[in-house]
Amino acid sequence: MKFTGTESYVAAPDLSVAVNAAVTLERPLLVKGEPGTGKTELARQVAQALDLPLIEWHVKSTTRAQQGLYEYDAVSRLRDSQLGDERVADVSNYIRRGKLWEAFAAPSRCVLLIDEVDKADIEFPNDLLQELDRMEFHVYETGETVRARQRPVVIITSNNEKELPDAFLRRCFFHYIGFPDEDVLRRIVEVHFPGLKPALLTAALTRFYEIRETPGLKKKPSTSEVLDWLKLLLAEDLSAEDLKRDAANALPKLHGALLKNEQDVQLFERLAFLERGRAR
């Protein structure tokens, strides 16, 4: 089965090609793009489209690669030995499986999401090279080797906060999710808000792209933010006329859904001040 998107996820043709190429090559798909462009959601939709179970590993700044394989709880074993617990005779009772182990041991093929890999230490990707390449790892405490029953579809996301090692990149199929053009964004909006009045949609998207293209903007609003904004516009029953830009106030209606820091709010306030000065 080929991935072409789902009823609730509009995939651009180049993204569909990337997913299917990674599946064919049996390589991890490394997906980059600005926050809010649907990288994490892609894995969920691929799992849905291919009818595969999904295992999610959300990486944090403190996450270590070993946690994805397994963790040995030596403290609990020591405590149980002091209490005379019979479980201490079997060290496997103190091995906690990680997300990679879950994916390798799954009875059927699955989708494994490694989300925001760039949040962790720079050595994190390198520490997973062999496991992702050979689809196996060794458990030193028990002496067993865990091998994948079936190679999972691995999707790795990155917000591009730090450079990833070349050796890691070499093992991945790479795709950058660019911000959608207006036609694709209209299709995305139609999925979430079917039947939206054309005049309101045109006015909203025109205003939205004006905001994104404003020089000096620190944080450009993303796809998820425009969807939140449209939801608020509908909740407030605003019209296309309400969204027109005027010299008195350059800030868009309900701008808190689009502008996420005080510098960008101040930028639009300065632009409004300059426009009022020119209008006099």
Side-chain angles (χ1 to χ4, degrees):
M1 180 182 290
K2 297 290 186 180
F3 176 74
T4 58
T6 66
E7 290 183 358
S8 59
Y9 189 91
V10 177
D14 58 341
L15 177 57
S16 297
V17 168
V19 171
N20 293 320
V23 172
T24 300
L25 293 173
E26 296 187 327
R27 294 274 189 180
L29 173 63
L30 174 60
V31 184
K32 288 188 178 183
E34 60 185 86
T37 50
K39 301 184 297 297
T40 302
E41 187 61 24
L42 171 66
R44 296 167 184 156
Q45 297 300 324
V46 168
Q48 178 183 324
L50 302 183
D51 195 24
L52 300 176
L54 173 66
I55 296 174
E56 301 185 33
W57 184 15
H58 299 283
V59 177
K60 301 178 181 179
S61 60
T62 56
T63 301
R64 296 176 293 106
Q66 180 64 33
Q67 293 172 307
L69 308 179
Y70 69 92
E71 290 184 280
Y72 170 52
D73 192 349
V75 174
S76 292
R77 192 182 188 200
L78 175 61
R79 183 192 62 233
D80 288 349
S81 68
Q82 292 171 340
L83 296 174
D85 194 320
E86 295 180 355
R87 295 174 68 247
V88 299
D90 186 357
V91 68
S92 64
N93 290 323
Y94 303 92
I95 300 292
R96 184 167 65 245
R97 294 184 177 189
K99 296 298 183 180
L100 263 73
W101 192 333
E102 288 182 27
F104 289 3
S108 60
R109 196 177 197 187
C110 64
V111 175
L112 172 63
L113 167 64
I114 304 177
D115 196 30
E116 297 188 329
V117 68
D118 53 329
K119 274 189 175 180
D121 184 86
I122 188 62
E123 292 304 320
F124 178 89
N126 277 336
D127 290 342
L128 291 176
L129 287 180
Q130 179 171 310
E131 290 75 12
L132 291 176
D133 202 20
R134 297 185 180 181
M135 287 288 154
E136 66 177 40
F137 63 89
H138 187 70
V139 183
Y140 295 98
E141 289 77 8
T142 63
E144 66 179 307
T145 297
V146 177
R147 294 184 178 88
R149 295 184 180 183
Q150 294 192 52
R151 182 178 285 265
V153 177
V154 181
I155 298 179
I156 304 171
T157 72
S158 169
N159 286 328
N160 223 11
E161 293 182 4
K162 63 168 68 84
E163 289 295 322
L164 298 175
D166 288 344
F168 179 77
L169 295 174
R170 184 176 63 80
R171 288 166 168 81
C172 298
F173 190 94
F174 172 78
H175 182 74
Y176 183 87
I177 298 182
F179 193 81
D181 59 28
E182 187 168 338
D183 289 338
V184 174
L185 191 54
R186 281 178 179 272
R187 289 168 54 202
I188 294 172
V189 171
E190 180 63 27
V191 167
H192 292 271
F193 305 105
L196 190 65
K197 293 179 180 178
L200 176 60
L201 177 58
T202 298
L205 293 187
T206 299
R207 191 77 178 92
F208 173 73
Y209 278 103
E210 284 177 355
I211 294 167
R212 268 191 63 88
E213 295 164 8
T214 300
L217 200 64
K218 183 177 181 181
K219 164 67 174 70
K220 292 184 177 182
S222 65
T223 309
S224 63
E225 287 156 346
V226 72
L227 294 176
D228 287 344
W229 187 51
L230 285 167
K231 185 175 181 179
L232 289 174
L233 296 180
L234 291 172
E236 295 293 325
D237 197 24
L238 297 181
S239 66
E241 191 68 24
D242 294 323
L243 300 184
K244 287 187 177 179
R245 183 174 180 174
D246 57 66
N249 188 5
L251 283 169
K253 300 286 186 182
L254 302 165
H255 63 270
L258 299 175
L259 304 177
K260 299 299 186 177
N261 58 67
E262 64 275 15
Q263 294 98 318
D264 289 342
V265 173
Q266 291 168 1
L267 170 64
F268 278 88
E269 289 173 343
R270 289 196 298 271
L271 291 173
F273 176 77
L274 294 173
E275 288 187 14
R276 287 195 298 270
R278 286 195 292 266
R280 291 172 184 170

